[in-house]
Amino acid sequence: EASIHMAEFPKLSEQTDDSLLAEWERLFAIRDDVLRALEEARVAKQIGSSLEAKVTLEASGSALELLQRHQSDLRYVFIVSQVELKEGGGNVSITVSRADGEKCERCWNYSTHVGESETYPTVCERCVAALQEIERQG
């Protein structure tokens, strides 16, 4: 009988593992503060859902470096439409504002690119790409 060999994932050194874990712990600590700020903005009727928000984080030093390293993940970590990073002094400061652009009919994220596609005028750039991919496969 044929034996199946599962592909092995490269093993990370424990040091790498620990530092990655520490990074995510710091990110989730910042996320707690962001969620609090989003809740305050919701109570103040500044936003409805968190996807209507743009979060601006001002940070310096290692905190800013950490956020920059994970910049492409932040909007998913915070469940918001946009995240902007700025260099500032001291602790991480959080500002919540309304997201730029229009609401995508498909994913409910806000994007300044909604309306750019003639084929899919009501969706954002990520959904346009996804819909084109679905069409290609169909």
Side-chain angles (χ1 to χ4, degrees):
E1 69 192 46
S3 66
I4 297 168
H5 294 283
M6 299 297 283
E8 278 198 26
F9 287 99
K11 290 191 170 56
L12 296 169
S13 75
E14 269 181 35
Q15 201 279 316
T16 311
D17 245 11
D18 287 348
S19 57
L20 198 62
L21 195 63
E23 278 203 357
W24 280 98
E25 278 174 5
R26 282 184 74 195
L27 277 178
F28 277 98
I30 294 169
R31 179 177 181 256
D32 288 343
D33 292 339
V34 168
L35 294 181
R36 259 193 300 279
L38 287 168
E39 188 52 37
E40 285 168 17
R42 232 192 319 270
V43 169
K45 303 262 189 281
Q46 196 183 346
I47 57 166
S49 83
S50 65
L51 287 177
E52 290 177 22
K54 170 184 181 174
V55 169
T56 303
L57 297 168
E58 220 171 289
S60 61
S62 64
L64 182 63
E65 284 167 24
L66 170 75
L67 291 164
Q68 285 170 333
R69 257 198 310 282
H70 295 277
Q71 189 157 12
S72 57
D73 299 319
L74 294 177
R75 53 182 282 211
Y76 307 110
V77 173
F78 304 149
I79 315 171
V80 296
S81 284
Q82 290 141 10
V83 176
E84 190 181 340
L85 299 180
K86 288 183 175 175
E87 191 160 2
N91 293 332
V92 177
S93 76
I94 300 158
T95 309
V96 175
S97 55
R98 286 194 65 83
D100 302 323
E102 301 291 319
K103 183 178 179 177
C104 170
E105 230 174 50
R106 184 171 179 264
C107 71
W108 295 17
N109 278 271
Y110 280 70
S111 169
T112 54
H113 299 287
V114 171
E116 285 182 355
S117 163
E118 280 185 25
T119 320
Y120 307 108
T122 61
V123 302
C124 71
E125 68 283 8
R126 286 177 58 242
C127 286
V128 166
L131 290 165
Q132 285 170 342
E133 184 57 35
I134 290 164
E135 260 189 20
R136 264 199 299 279
Q137 290 171 359

